[in-house]
């Protein structure tokens, strides 16, 4: 990441924090603008468990990709969970009409995903079919400076066998280089 990109990212991050303090939690969260996004995701689960009386150790997250392309299309924040923006897909393409993974387009290495909804749920009640559990990494290096990169796992709809996408090296990243 060069200095210009770093400064742009830093200013956007600072603005997200200022808006959050001034107006409350945003209706769409820019996950890579958080210093430690894993703690935000854990807080989403904890908040839902507290409200619904679920045991925390038996709760988890799953994701659903929306058809929203921009923050302006969203009218309100979900009651539980969050909508997140700024996720980029590597190793595959995304069909917005069918909401599923497709073969990567020629000469397109990275594609921005539409907004993704993160939904806390009781782990035993999560039933996912035709979904690829895709790792979400901080950078395209698939690690950060501390050697850790996995933030969470995103569920992306697919009509191909999971091995097809694993061999393609499909992953989601938070920060473009």
């Amino acid at each position: 990441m060069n200095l210009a990109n770093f400064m742009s990212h830093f200013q956007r991050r600072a603005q997200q924090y200022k808006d959050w303090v001034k107006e409350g939690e945003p209706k769409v969260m820019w996950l890579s603008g958080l210093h430690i996004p894993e703690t935000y995701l854990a807080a989403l689960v904890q908040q839902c468990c507290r409200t619904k009386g679920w045991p925390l150790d038996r709760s988890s997250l799953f994701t659903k990709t929306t058809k929203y392309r921009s923050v302006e299309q969203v009218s309100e924040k979900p009651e539980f969970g969050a909508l997140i923006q700024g996720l980029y897909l590597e190793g595959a393409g995304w069909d917005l009409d069918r909401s599923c993974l497709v073969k990567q387009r020629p000469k397109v290495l990275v594609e921005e995903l539409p907004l993704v909804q993160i939904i806390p749920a009781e782990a035993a009640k999560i039933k996912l079919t035709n979904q690829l559990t895709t790792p979400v990494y901080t950078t395209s290096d698939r690690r950060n400076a501390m050697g850790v990169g996995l933030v969470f796992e995103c569920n992306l709809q697919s009509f191909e066998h999971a091995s097809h996408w694993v061999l393609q090296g499909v992953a989601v990243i938070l920060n473009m280089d």
Side-chain angles (χ1 to χ4, degrees):
M1 180 184 283
N2 63 31
L3 183 58
N5 288 344
F6 172 80
M7 288 307 296
S8 174
H9 189 271
F10 179 77
Q11 289 170 337
R12 187 173 174 199
R13 173 185 280 180
Q15 189 60 48
Q16 177 171 272
Y17 283 139
K18 286 177 189 174
D19 292 345
W20 194 348
V21 168
K22 189 176 183 179
E23 302 165 13
E25 188 175 354
K27 61 183 177 180
V28 177
M29 181 63 72
W30 178 47
L31 204 57
S32 63
L34 300 175
H35 285 82
I36 306 174
E38 298 90 339
T39 57
Y40 176 73
L41 299 173
L44 291 175
V45 175
Q46 290 172 354
Q47 181 183 30
C48 187
C49 287
R50 225 177 269 125
T51 303
K52 294 189 175 192
W54 296 344
L56 184 58
D57 62 338
R58 294 191 183 144
S59 299
S60 187
L61 293 172
F62 74 96
T63 62
K64 185 173 112 179
T65 308
T66 69
K67 296 208 183 248
Y68 301 133
R69 277 284 190 199
S70 68
V71 177
E72 291 77 28
Q73 294 176 296
V74 178
S75 57
E76 63 184 20
K77 181 186 176 315
E79 183 181 0
F80 295 105
L83 288 168
I84 57 173
Q85 65 176 331
L87 298 180
Y88 299 91
L89 183 62
E90 279 189 346
W94 186 257
D95 185 335
L96 189 60
D97 296 328
R98 294 178 28 211
S99 293
C100 68
L101 290 170
V102 293
K103 184 179 175 186
Q104 197 168 19
R105 291 158 188 81
K107 299 183 183 180
V108 178
L109 299 177
V110 179
E111 187 172 326
E112 187 170 4
L113 283 171
L115 301 183
V116 173
Q117 184 176 7
I118 297 179
I119 305 164
E122 291 181 284
K125 294 184 179 178
I126 298 174
K127 304 286 186 233
L128 301 173
T129 57
N130 295 329
Q131 299 281 320
L132 176 68
T133 302
T134 311
V136 178
Y137 296 106
T138 307
T139 66
S140 61
D141 291 339
R142 300 186 180 198
R143 61 177 174 75
N144 61 18
M146 297 182 293
V148 179
L150 182 66
V151 178
F152 70 106
E153 293 177 332
C154 185
N155 309 105
L156 299 176
Q157 185 167 341
S158 169
F159 298 109
E160 298 281 340
H161 192 272
S163 64
H164 172 79
W165 301 115
V166 171
L167 291 172
Q168 295 291 322
V170 174
V172 176
I173 56 173
L174 295 179
N175 294 311
M176 294 292 294
D177 293 331

